[in-house]
């Protein structure tokens, strides 16, 4: 059993050629077990994955994260549809030599994960969809209307738009405490759910 790396922050950025594009990715953990592929949220790159979550998942398997086309250090122009993003990810996963994977899709990544399961069902063993929903689901059609004002607010206040997209408003001190609690709960829940992937009795 060999280690791909032991620290997400220092794991080297690698590249794989697929679908005529050079995709950037990182990997972490031992080369054993069913690999996990993490699919990121809108506007995020490899640096936006939470290192403690990745480290928790990588205790007994390899964790991969891939930048979408045109995002981060991946080449090309960003796709305009979820279907195109999913097609890219399927081809990149296969070019990495992965025959079957578990998926973790967060927000937009959840849309992509669902499309992958429709398009390439034998490629996916299990999936966790976090902070996302199905096409046509309640409120999904309002994502643009809700997010664009918050993105503009971030630009006007010189703050990362994710400050407003992912956290509720409060006093500065309360906001920091609330973020810490939310992140700790999310980390704990996600790691527990994904550790269950290794348990054959869990469906």
């Amino acid at each position: 059993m060999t280690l791909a790396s032991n620290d997400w922050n220092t794991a080297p950025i690698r590249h794989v050629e697929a679908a005529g594009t050079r995709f950037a990715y990182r990997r972490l953990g031992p080369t054993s077990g069913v690999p996990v592929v993490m699919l990121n949220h809108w506007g995020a790159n490899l640096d936006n994955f939470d290192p403690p979550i990745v480290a928790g998942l990588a205790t007994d398997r390899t964790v991969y994260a891939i930048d979408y086309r045109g995002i981060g250090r991946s080449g090309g122009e960003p796709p305009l549809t979820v279907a195109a993003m999913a097609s890219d990810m399927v081809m990149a996963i296969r070019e990495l030599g992965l025959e079957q994977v578990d998926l973790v899709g967060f927000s937009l990544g959840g849309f992509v994960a669902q499309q992958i399961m429709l398009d390439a069902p034998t490629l996916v063993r299990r999936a966790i969809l976090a902070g996302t929903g199905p096409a046509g689901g309640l409120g999904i059609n309002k994502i643009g209307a809700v997010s664009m004002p918050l993105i503009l607010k971030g630009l006007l206040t010189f703050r990362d738009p994710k400050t407003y997209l992912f956290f509720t408003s409060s006093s500065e001190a309360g906001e920091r405490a609330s973020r810490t609690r939310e992140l700790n709960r999310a980390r704990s829940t996600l790691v527990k759910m994904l550790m269950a992937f290794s348990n054959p009795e869990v469906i």
Side-chain angles (χ1 to χ4, degrees):
M1 181 174 70
T2 60
L3 291 178
S5 176
N6 58 6
D7 182 354
W8 185 250
N9 290 318
T10 60
I13 293 176
R14 306 167 186 270
H15 292 88
V16 61
E17 296 282 344
T21 300
R22 192 167 182 252
F23 289 94
Y25 73 96
R26 280 184 180 145
R27 71 180 189 224
L28 187 76
T31 54
S32 62
V34 178
V36 175
V37 175
M38 302 187 72
L39 302 168
N40 221 336
H41 60 83
W42 182 38
N45 58 36
L46 297 177
D47 294 331
N48 291 113
F49 286 103
D50 193 344
I53 288 180
V54 180
L57 302 178
T59 55
D60 61 352
R61 65 179 72 197
T62 309
V63 176
Y64 291 83
I66 308 170
D67 271 341
Y68 302 121
R69 181 194 299 264
I71 300 297
R73 293 177 175 84
S74 287
E77 294 293 323
L80 298 179
T81 66
V82 168
M85 299 174 78
S87 177
D88 281 346
M89 291 298 99
V90 168
M91 286 186 271
I93 289 168
R94 286 177 170 158
E95 283 298 323
L96 287 169
L98 308 179
E99 296 180 357
Q100 191 174 53
V101 300
D102 293 335
L103 297 177
V104 179
F106 174 50
S107 190
L108 171 63
F111 299 165
V112 177
Q114 291 173 77
Q115 189 67 48
I116 290 173
M117 288 187 283
L118 288 172
D119 295 344
T122 59
L123 182 63
V124 182
R125 186 186 69 144
R126 294 175 181 166
I128 286 181
L129 308 176
T132 191
L138 183 64
I140 295 296
N141 63 333
K142 298 179 181 178
I143 288 177
V146 171
S147 60
M148 285 309 298
L150 299 176
I151 291 171
L152 290 174
K153 184 177 180 180
L155 295 174
L156 293 171
T157 58
F158 301 101
R159 301 186 70 181
D160 188 330
K162 290 190 282 292
T163 301
Y164 303 110
L165 287 167
F166 297 150
F167 301 99
T168 56
S169 299
S170 62
S171 68
E172 187 174 349
E175 184 178 346
R176 286 198 299 269
S178 176
R179 288 183 190 180
T180 300
R181 288 194 296 270
E182 289 177 21
L183 286 171
N184 286 339
R185 283 197 298 268
R187 287 170 177 167
S188 177
T189 299
L190 188 55
V191 169
K192 287 178 181 177
M193 292 174 70
L194 280 157
M195 291 297 284
F197 276 0
S198 299
N199 185 346
E201 297 180 357
V202 176
I203 297 176

